[in-house]
Amino acid sequence: MLRPLLLIAVILALGLSVLGADYAAGQATLVATYAIAGLGLVIIVGQAGQITLGQGALVALGAYAETLLAMRGVPPVLSVPAAVALGAAGGALASLPARRLGGLYFAMSTLAFALIVEEMLVRWTSLTRGGAGLSVPTLAWGGMRVDTPLAQMLVSLAALMLAWLACRRLLAGRSGRAWRAVREDEIAAAEACGIDVAATKLRAFVLGGALAGLAGALYAHWIGFISPEQFGLMFSFELLMLVFIGGARHLSGALWGALVIVSLPQLIALLRDVLPGEWSRSAGLETVLFGAVIVAMVLLRPQGLASASGGAQASVRKGTED
């Protein structure tokens, strides 16, 4: 985790010197939020070996739960755990087809789950206001208000650190070993080790959903406004790219991937300024450059950026894979 934290410090320093403290704090907040959601995917994809295309929907459940409770004056000490619980329940629901389906078929079932959640958020206008969206109140409790970029960054980084430590402890224990056994060979894990494969997958999705719910709650307060299109399929694919770019089998991969996903649009915007006139005005240039950079990174580092870390490899030998 040391290298990604050093990279965050470098980005913060650059942001402070070029664009100011508020911008740097805002970007660090976004990186921490994406990294928390990415940790959930590291558990589901990298440890338990299940492909999911619906992680964006679980983030949406957490964001809407936190927003709706905060709008009614519920303090964050209750609303945030409720958002985490709803994300975990969504993860459990999304994992049910895994009892009968596997591989691509199960991935398609999670895609259907994401579509159902998005459609529900659009059509349940009496609760979500549909496409009009909801304004998110400032995160506040008692006399404390998290209403500055610096305060939001500190809260998000603290949440990321707690989530990281919890995941690391789980991966080093019995649950982590069971997830890795199921990932390598489900039949052998069940017959030779007596592992309940269905329950093991369920635990991975519940934890992944809980982390997504936490990320959604923090994201809602950071962005200040939520609507269903923010959590569509592109968001789920973005999170999946995050974990593959960073390294699906390492906890640090979530942070590396979040750094890339958050930084790329900023770098592409700067690149547009230096391109010749016609190129810089081309429609869809950001999408093309974003895709090209992603493909290049996957080709050059197929196991993810975290796979180059000697510390991570040492952790793999110890079974923690951080």
Side-chain angles (χ1 to χ4, degrees), residues 30-42 45 55 59 215 234-264 290 294 297-298 301 303-306:
L30 193 57
V31 168
T33 304
Y34 270 67
I36 292 172
L39 285 177
L41 278 174
V42 167
V45 179
Q55 194 73 358
V59 176
M234 282 306 299
F235 183 58
S236 291
F237 291 142
E238 196 174 62
L239 291 175
L240 199 57
M241 284 192 295
L242 178 157
V243 75
F244 280 118
I245 290 171
R249 294 193 178 185
H250 307 277
L251 292 181
S252 57
L255 193 47
W256 280 110
L259 285 168
V260 172
I261 290 295
V262 173
S263 302
L264 266 183
F290 189 84
I294 295 295
M297 294 191 69
V298 170
R301 190 75 70 183
Q303 299 302 317
L305 296 173

Side-chain angles (χ1 to χ4, degrees), residues 51-284:
I51 295 295
T52 174
L53 302 176
Q55 194 73 358
L58 302 179
V59 176
L61 291 177
Y64 271 89
E66 172 65 18
T67 300
L68 292 169
L69 291 173
M71 289 172 62
R72 288 157 177 78
V74 178
V77 69
L78 297 176
S79 62
V80 173
V84 171
L86 186 59
L93 188 62
S95 74
L96 292 180
R99 294 175 180 272
R100 294 182 177 273
L101 302 176
L104 181 61
Y105 297 103
F106 174 66
M108 295 305 294
S109 74
T110 61
L111 180 63
F113 174 80
L115 292 173
I116 291 171
V117 170
E118 184 179 3
E119 193 67 17
M120 181 189 71
L121 294 177
V122 171
R123 293 185 178 278
W124 198 352
T125 55
S126 61
L127 184 67
T128 67
R129 296 187 59 198
L134 296 171
S135 295
V136 186
T138 300
L139 184 64
W141 185 34
M144 296 183 295
R145 291 176 60 83
V146 185
D147 54 0
T148 65
L150 178 61
Q152 289 177 333
M153 181 190 72
L154 293 176
V155 170
S156 297
L157 289 178
L160 173 61
M161 184 62 69
L162 291 175
W164 185 290
L165 293 174
C167 289
R168 181 181 173 83
R169 186 175 181 83
L170 280 173
L171 293 188
R174 185 172 182 177
S175 293
R177 291 192 292 273
W179 285 329
R180 289 189 287 276
V182 169
R183 179 191 68 196
E184 297 301 329
D185 192 327
E186 291 186 14
I187 297 176
E191 294 181 351
C193 305
I195 293 173
D196 187 335
V197 174
T200 300
K201 291 180 181 179
L202 174 63
R203 285 196 295 272
F205 273 88
V206 167
L207 178 57
L211 290 168
L214 176 60
L218 295 173
Y219 177 82
H221 285 294
W222 177 81
I223 204 75
F225 174 83
I226 59 171
S227 60
E229 60 266 24
Q230 290 172 286
F231 307 100
L233 291 181
M234 282 306 299
F235 183 58
S236 291
F237 291 142
E238 196 174 62
L239 291 175
L240 199 57
M241 284 192 295
L242 178 157
V243 75
F244 280 118
I245 290 171
R249 294 193 178 185
H250 307 277
L251 292 181
S252 57
L255 193 47
W256 280 110
L259 285 168
V260 172
I261 290 295
V262 173
S263 302
L264 266 183
Q266 317 300 326
L267 296 176
I268 290 172
L270 294 175
L271 181 61
R272 180 185 273 273
D273 293 338
V274 301
L275 287 175
E278 292 186 1
W279 281 90
S280 64
R281 291 191 294 272
S282 300

Side-chain angles (χ1 to χ4, degrees), residues 47 167-168 171-173 180 249-251 311-312 314-322:
Q47 298 298 314
C167 289
R168 181 181 173 83
L171 293 188
R180 289 189 287 276
R249 294 193 178 185
H250 307 277
L251 292 181
S315 296
V316 170
R317 289 193 293 272
K318 292 188 293 185
T320 57
E321 299 197 41
D322 64 346

